[in-house]
Structures are given as structure tokens and as C-alpha cells.
């Protein structure tokens, strides 16, 4: 049986945008008989909001989505990430880096990745023997970076199609553990997906450029045979073309629910965003029957005031 996961980050409430991604993930799973794991990605320290995990679970349940295993919390799995980190250090795939964000900005005088982040120029590559050496010579506790190759990669995404990049030119060496020892999203997600035998990763296409990073981690850890299939979906954006956020008003599922919007009504909007003509309301069962991934819009979905008014009408 294939395995997939719903992986909310409890950094805020579920809104219409991430609800749609989870819905598509769930529909694909239930149509194809995949096992669903619920994983709470709660290691992103300061961005995690208390109780947002429970809120996400409540929101998913209210929409009618279910899962076969979990919730699994990443914070309960720290030793596994530490072990992977150690292996990457020992095999020479990762190194200590004491650069501050400011230094990276300054050193990366020209190139910036598509998302505007400075591309790390490799300043600490080969500089320190280990963390103790880094600490002794700089007085700083190092972060750990993964060393990316200068290599043209093509990823075959089931929904997006081919995605090409050269990790050194386009991404740079990326952090896999912060100075305080917290593993990064990139590392944790690979360790968890590999461990759980996840074969289908369905997520927003804002994470497309994480995929080459994650593939490199699978390879470096010797897990080539566990690389999943990817389905990157276009995001829901506001009228300004930016990803749905607070500036577009309150689009939280909980907000609509509290205002008396029914689940059927909310699903009807999400269904429309999935290429299903749904009328005023639709049940999850009916949506499961009608959903067809090949009809999912290829372009970004724009959430408008009319959508908001329609939900509450
Ligand atoms: N936790 C991430 C999110 O909520 C998803 C990460 C992933 O699917 O790899 O966007």
C-alpha cells in the first residue's frame, strides 16, 4: 500500500489555501487507496504557536478529512534527526558554518535565489575540523550546512511536470541544523518521510525548490530507493498575486466556521478551486466521487472579495 502524509506546520491556523492543498492530498489518497499519516511539523521553534496543532487537527476533522496514523509530532523524534546529522557530517556531506545571516547577505554580493534569499557562497566549506574547532576559532557555536553539488538536476513532478535546477548556482549550501541544534525543515522532512515509507508528497509549489535539496539528502543518506513521488500544486493567492495571508483578511477555516458557514459551502469553494463544478454546497463523499486530478487548474487560484462574500452569503 502506498503512503502519503498530511503535514501541517502549527505556525498559524489553517486557511483556505492550505486547506485546499490538504484536501487535494486527501482526495488523491482516498481515490488511490494510499495510507494517510498525519504529521505535525512543530520544530520550527519561534514560529510555532501554542495549540495551533490542535486547531489544525480540529479544522481537518471539521472538513471531514481523516487519517490512518498519527498525529506524529516531529519534536518527539529529535534523536533520529541527530543521528542523520551525524552521518552527514561523518560522510563529509555537511560542514560547520559560523556565518551570521548578515555576513551571508554581505558575502553573497550578487546572487539571490528566486525567493530573494541570499545564496550562501560556501565561505565555511572546509574551514573547520569540527564544531569544537569552529567554537574555539570564532567563539560561535556553528550551524550545520549541507554541501550541494554543481550539477544540473531535473525533477519529474507528477503535477507540475519537469523542474530543473543546479543546486550550487540556484540554491547554495543550505542549513540542516541551526546553531542551537534544531534540525531544519529540509532534514526533518526527509528523515520522517523515509522512515515512514512515504511514497507520495503532495504540497504547495512554494516548496518546489525544496525538492532538489531533499533529493540530495536522500542520496547522501543512502536512501535513493525511498525517494517519493512529488505533486506540487499551485498556491492560492490574493488579488495582489501574493500567497494567501493575513493581509488578505481573515481566511481561516475556523473564522468561517465560527461565522456559521457550513462545511458543505466551504467545500464547494475548495471544490471549484479543484476544477469540480459544485453548486452551492457539496459533501466530501460527492467530491471524492467527482474529483479528477487532471482537471485541477494549472495556474494559481486567486481568492477574491466575491469568494469571501459568497461563502458568507
Ligand atoms: N509543513 C509544510 C506546510 O505546512 C509542508 C511541508 C511538506 O509537505 O513537505 O506547508
Amino acid at each position: 500500500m502506498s503512503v502519503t502524509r498530511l503535514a501541517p506546520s502549527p505556525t498559524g491556523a489553517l486557511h483556505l489555501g492550505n486547506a485546499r492543498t490538504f484536501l487535494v492530498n486527501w482526495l488523491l489518497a482516498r481515490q488511490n487507496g494510499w495510507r494517510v499519516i498525519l504529521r505535525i511539523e512543530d520544530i520550527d521553534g519561534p514560529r510555532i504557536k501554542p495549540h495551533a496543532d490542535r486547531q489544525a487537527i480540529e479544522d481537518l476533522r471539521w472538513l471531514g478529512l481523516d487519517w490512518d496514523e498519527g498525529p506524529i509530532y516531529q519534536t518527539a523524534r529529535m534523536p533520529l534527526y541527530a543521528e542523520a546529522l551525524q552521518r552527514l557530517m561523518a560522510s563529509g556531506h555537511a560542514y560547520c558554518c559560523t556565518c551570521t545571516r548578515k555576513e551571508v547577505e554581505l558575502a553573497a554580493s550578487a546572487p539571490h535565489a528566486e525567493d530573494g534569499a541570499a545564496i550562501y557562497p560556501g565561505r565555511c566549506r572546509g574551514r573547520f575540523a569540527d564544531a569544537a574547532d569552529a567554537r574555539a576559532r570564532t567563539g560561535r557555536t556553528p550551524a550545520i550546512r549541507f554541501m550541494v553539488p554543481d550539477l544540473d538536476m531535473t525533477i519529474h513532478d507528477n503535477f507540475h511536470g519537469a523542474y530543473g535546477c543546479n543546486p550550487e548556482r540556484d540554491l547554495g549550501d543550505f542549513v540542516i541544523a541551526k546553531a542551537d541544534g534544531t534540525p531544519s525543515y529540509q532534514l526533518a522532512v526527509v528523515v520522517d518521510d523515509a522512515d515512514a515509507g512515504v511514497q507520495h508528497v503532495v504540497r504547495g509549489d512554494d516548496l518546489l525548490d525544496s525538492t532538489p535539496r531533499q533529493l540530495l539528502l536522500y542520496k547522501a543518506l543512502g536512501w535513493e530507493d525511498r525517494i517519493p513521488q512529488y505533486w506540487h500544486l499551485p498556491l492560492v493567492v490574493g488579488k495582489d498575486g501574493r500567497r494567501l495571508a493575513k493581509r488578505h483578511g481573515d481566511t481561516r477555516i475556523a473564522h468561517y466556521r465560527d461565522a456559521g458557514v457550513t462545511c458543505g459551502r466551504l467545500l464547494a469553494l475548495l471544490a471549484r478551486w479543484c476544477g469540480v463544478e459544485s453548486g452551492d454546497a457539496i459533501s466530501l463523499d460527492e467530491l471524492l466521487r467527482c474529483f479528477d486530478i487532471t482537471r485541477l487548474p494549472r495556474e494559481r487560484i486567486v481568492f477574491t472579495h466575491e469568494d469571501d462574500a459568497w461563502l458568507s452569503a
Side-chain angles (χ1 to χ4, degrees):
M1 193 189 232
S2 282
V3 179
T4 189
R5 74 312 196 268
L6 304 175
S9 300
T11 49
L14 236 62
H15 58 62
L16 292 170
N18 37 34
R20 174 184 174 265
T21 305
F22 291 131
L23 178 64
V24 173
N25 194 349
W26 185 88
L27 289 166
L28 275 172
R30 292 303 180 225
Q31 281 188 343
N32 294 291
W34 305 340
R35 190 177 155 72
V36 179
I37 297 174
L38 177 69
R39 181 172 75 221
I40 307 291
E41 305 211 314
D42 59 343
I43 46 170
D44 196 0
R47 294 183 55 232
I48 302 300
K49 305 247 169 29
H51 312 305
D53 59 326
R54 270 185 270 153
Q55 181 70 63
I57 291 171
E58 209 176 291
D59 292 343
L60 292 169
R61 288 225 173 97
W62 183 75
L63 289 168
L65 309 191
D66 61 356
W67 43 90
D68 308 298
E69 190 186 333
I72 293 170
Y73 285 80
Q74 288 189 319
T75 43
R77 297 170 51 80
M78 291 301 189
L80 285 155
Y81 312 133
E83 191 193 313
L85 202 62
Q86 238 163 33
R87 283 218 281 130
L88 292 169
M89 286 296 279
S91 60
H93 285 97
Y95 61 89
C96 293
C97 170
T98 55
C99 296
T100 60
R101 189 168 297 194
K102 189 104 195 213
E103 286 165 349
V104 175
E105 279 290 333
L106 290 175
S109 48
H112 278 63
E114 264 174 42
D115 61 4
I119 294 175
Y120 184 68
R123 201 164 154 247
C124 288
R125 271 193 191 188
R127 196 169 154 209
F128 307 112
D130 52 27
D133 181 36
R135 226 173 279 123
R137 284 165 54 196
T138 65
R140 295 178 187 165
T141 303
I144 309 293
R145 280 186 193 270
F146 184 85
M147 204 186 311
V148 299
D150 176 11
L151 163 96
D152 290 323
M153 289 175 76
T154 305
I155 287 147
H156 299 281
D157 184 282
N158 283 345
F159 189 80
H160 180 89
Y163 174 78
C165 93
N166 177 311
E168 190 175 68
R169 185 194 62 212
D170 304 328
L171 306 170
D173 295 346
F174 58 92
V175 172
I176 51 175
K178 293 192 213 161
D180 67 5
T182 316
S184 73
Y185 154 73
Q186 307 292 355
L187 181 67
V189 91
V190 166
V191 169
D192 288 345
D193 284 345
D195 188 47
V198 166
Q199 284 133 328
H200 293 278
V201 170
V202 183
R203 59 190 181 193
D205 65 10
D206 54 327
L207 289 169
L208 248 181
D209 72 0
S210 286
T211 309
R213 295 177 172 107
Q214 291 168 14
L215 289 186
L216 291 169
L217 285 172
Y218 275 99
K219 289 187 182 146
L221 288 162
W223 295 336
E224 276 104 329
D225 55 335
R226 303 195 212 174
I227 292 174
Q229 298 187 38
Y230 291 95
W231 307 72
H232 284 91
L233 314 176
L235 292 184
V236 178
V237 296
K239 265 194 158 157
D240 54 0
R242 294 164 75 188
R243 155 183 5 186
L244 213 55
K246 282 213 181 88
R247 71 182 84 91
H248 301 111
D250 195 345
T251 63
R252 291 172 307 131
I253 302 300
H255 158 74
Y256 289 111
R257 182 182 56 215
D258 293 348
V261 174
T262 63
C263 175
R265 185 81 169 174
L266 204 125
L267 283 176
L269 178 68
L270 300 181
R272 226 190 294 145
W273 289 350
C274 293
V276 175
E277 261 325 312
S278 51
D280 283 346
I282 192 169
S283 70
L284 192 59
D285 279 349
E286 200 182 335
L287 182 52
L288 187 56
R289 276 195 299 277
C290 307
F291 177 75
D292 176 358
I293 186 72
T294 64
R295 305 234 299 263
L296 200 81
R298 300 255 148 209
E299 57 291 337
R300 298 193 147 189
I301 303 290
V302 181
F303 172 72
T304 62
H305 291 305
E306 291 76 49
D307 292 326
D308 179 64
W310 183 85
L311 275 179
S312 316

